[in-house]
Amino acid sequence: MDEATLQCSNLENGTNIKETVKRIKNLCVGHPAEKKEYIQKGIVAALLKLIDPTDAELTWQICGTIGILANKNLAGAQQVVSNSGLSTLLSLLSCNQERIVKQASQCILVALQSIDDPVQVFRENMQLLETVSGLFCSSLASTSVTECTSFVLTRCLETVDFDTVVDWSRVSTVCINNIKSSTLRDSTNLVPYLTVLKTLTTRLREVGIQLIDYNIVEILVELMKGVEMTVKILACKIYANLMHFNLLQEDQASKVTAVLIMPLLHRMLSKNERNVQLEGCKMLSEVASIGEIYQRQAFDCNLVHDLIELGRYISVADVEAASILLQAVAAVCSLVEDCRRLIFESRLFALVVSSLDASHSELKIAGLSALRSLSRSVRNLRTSLAEASLMEPLLKSLSDENKQVQVQALSTICNLVLYFSPLKNLFLESNGLTTLLNLCHSNDKSLKYYAIWALKNLLFLSGSKMKKRIIDEFGMDYIFCLIEKGEDYSLQEQGMNLLRNLTCTFSIESEQEIVLDFIEEHCYRLVLCIQDSLQSPSMEVVLQSLYVVCNFVVGNERHKQAICNSKVPKLLLHFLTDSNYQIRIAAIWCVINLVWKETNDICDVPNLSDCRKARIASLIEMGFEETLERLLTDSNVEVRGRAETALQLLRDRTLLESAGENEFEQISRSILL
């Protein structure tokens, strides 16, 4: 009989149980082959049955042995879970012997850390999580119990699956009370509570508000000034989460970030420890993504140089590290040109380009995200990006099996197809337009959204040939489907923006004819759609709808009359006093184009002058003149200038001849994503 069989037999027979357990533990420590053999014989289940809280020595030995069998061993850990081992071990955390509590806690941790999806264990048995939550919140919980249960809670907190099972408010209150009652001189005992709060504040804004109400922010700042690195990092992460939810005053947050967080990140990125460096990259991504001011601080604190230095030792073969690094690049470069310049001048740009051909979705998404941020640079769209071999991998990414890869590729292409980018022609030559048109019909909302956005940018200042193709292939039914009233305001906004660029002609005769053809055919329906869109609760939809009106009425008396015979003028009068200055400006542009003195009409409508006079009289009677006069003292300088122009036209004064032909006619712009 071999050794493993003998010891298993002794356990079953109850022969020298304590000695047998010790023997098994000693044989398995540092001997993977013996450990595997015992696990295959089902020793874990046998050991769990022998746990007896009344026999402290035996229970302690069994917990230690199970911990060794489950540590970094999937089969051993699965046997703990499948034999109700977690429930048994959790029950030991309430006993009054710290020695057993500590051993049982360690056993639970190694078992959960060794399985693929520890959260799934609690998803299948919610009662276990309630037990864990109760142990964590207990006033009698020891350090071992707190460390063990905080690990479980933190992992489960990352999903919404358990929101109805665990009272997260109670959990956060326990964390807050322990932090407030603790002495900051020995801050290491706060790690479990800070870890839970870090995860809670990532997802739940109300917990962040709770921290503000309990004056925890001041304590976080003090912890960031301490010497314990783990505590400093956790405090920084919680503080950054509060910033993400806009719970802190910007001047206060920017000062703390500049004085405490950025120097800490510099230390982490400069430290010769891979895990610390990568954790620093993750934190930098979180902080820099909040806004431009923090990206500027990262630049001033030489964090971009730190990323570049780190990039010297990371290649696409190191998928995890490269992904984390490129996400940090994406965050610091999204709004600050100086950061982009440094990346373009370094080896990191080559890493971005090579990541586009990666086989791992995680790395490809990170590379596309970085490229998206870098492509916001107008200068580099014409130089560095134009020279790189980007189009082929980008187009391949549009048909990737991973939806997130497709979305990131589309959002990047939005920037690459702008009218001043040399890559626009390359995209069209590579049959990119056909791909975009197909993706516009996707059932996936994100894909559809970004495909329409890219198409809208492609249309900006485009010629009649492309507009005709899009009108022919899309069909007006699809465009109406986008712009007519619906619950998805983001798609409606993009649809109106698409229509805005489609109807922008800049008085080029051939383009006007093509645009006119589809407008004339659907004029009544278009006016109704515009009218409804101007009453949308979404200000983004309203703004784009106003600019569609601007383009719709240019050089065409019939369109002007159609608009004036609808509810649109009343809505325009209302928007002239809107609290949003962008809405006020767009509404003034509509008035300017409605009363503009046309020298000729596209449709050869007779008596243009009489039509214009009647329209002006109607607008004055409605109160436009008085409202525009009040806008001459508006707080926004552009509103004041445009209001003066509109008043001059309304009073039929001749504008200076130096004004360009189209200066007051067309509004069509493309937004860099």
Side-chain angles (χ1 to χ4, degrees), residues 243-444:
M243 290 162 61
H244 268 290
F245 282 122
N246 294 318
L247 294 175
L248 302 173
Q249 294 182 352
E250 187 173 303
D251 57 344
Q252 173 200 6
S254 62
K255 182 178 178 180
V256 170
T257 306
V259 175
L260 295 173
I261 296 180
M262 293 300 172
L264 173 63
L265 290 175
H266 177 61
R267 282 180 56 195
M268 293 175 71
L269 292 172
S270 305
K271 204 171 182 67
N272 194 24
E273 292 181 26
R274 175 188 170 93
N275 290 339
V276 176
Q277 289 175 323
L278 295 181
E279 191 61 36
C281 287
K282 291 178 183 177
M283 282 183 60
L284 177 57
S285 298
E286 294 169 9
V287 176
S289 64
I290 297 172
E292 182 177 353
I293 184 173
Y294 305 109
Q295 294 172 32
R296 175 59 60 183
Q297 287 179 359
F299 176 81
D300 293 339
C301 204
N302 292 321
L303 297 189
V304 182
H305 286 289
D306 292 336
L307 293 178
I308 292 169
E309 181 64 21
L310 181 58
R312 292 176 56 194
Y313 309 101
I314 293 176
S315 69
V316 290
D318 191 346
V319 175
E320 181 186 12
S323 300
I324 294 171
L325 175 61
L326 291 178
Q327 289 291 6
V329 171
V332 297
C333 291
S334 66
L335 297 170
V336 176
E337 183 65 20
D338 285 335
C339 296
R340 298 184 195 119
R341 175 178 53 80
L342 291 179
I343 298 299
F344 277 119
E345 293 171 356
S346 73
R347 177 189 173 277
L348 264 184
F349 180 56
L351 182 65
V352 173
V353 176
S354 58
S355 70
L356 303 182
D357 286 314
S359 56
H360 293 83
S361 297
E362 176 190 3
L363 179 54
K364 194 178 291 188
I365 290 168
L368 288 166
S369 182
L371 182 60
R372 171 181 168 179
S373 293
L374 292 170
S375 66
R376 290 183 170 187
S377 168
V378 175
R379 174 176 171 269
N380 287 297
L381 273 174
R382 291 171 170 162
T383 53
S384 303
L385 288 168
E387 295 164 6
S389 302
L390 301 174
M391 198 51 63
E392 185 178 347
L394 274 173
L395 289 173
K396 283 183 180 178
S397 295
L398 291 181
S399 55
D400 196 275
E401 292 180 356
N402 187 297
K403 284 287 189 292
Q404 191 57 38
V405 170
Q406 289 181 283
V407 169
Q408 285 293 343
L410 271 174
S411 64
T412 303
I413 286 171
C414 288
N415 293 345
L416 301 182
V417 297
L418 291 162
Y419 75 98
F420 50 76
S421 170
L423 291 166
K424 176 180 178 178
N425 288 333
L426 184 57
F427 177 79
L428 293 172
E429 291 166 5
S430 304
N431 207 29
L433 180 57
T434 300
T435 305
L436 272 189
L437 290 169
N438 290 334
L439 287 170
C440 284
H441 294 279
S442 171
N443 292 325
D444 185 274

Side-chain angles (χ1 to χ4, degrees), residues 61 83 96 118 139 211 270 287 350 402 418 420 590 596 605 616:
Q61 289 287 355
N83 289 282
N96 56 9
S139 59
L211 296 187
S270 305
V287 176
N402 187 297
L418 291 162
F420 50 76
C590 292
W596 184 263
V605 173
I616 288 175

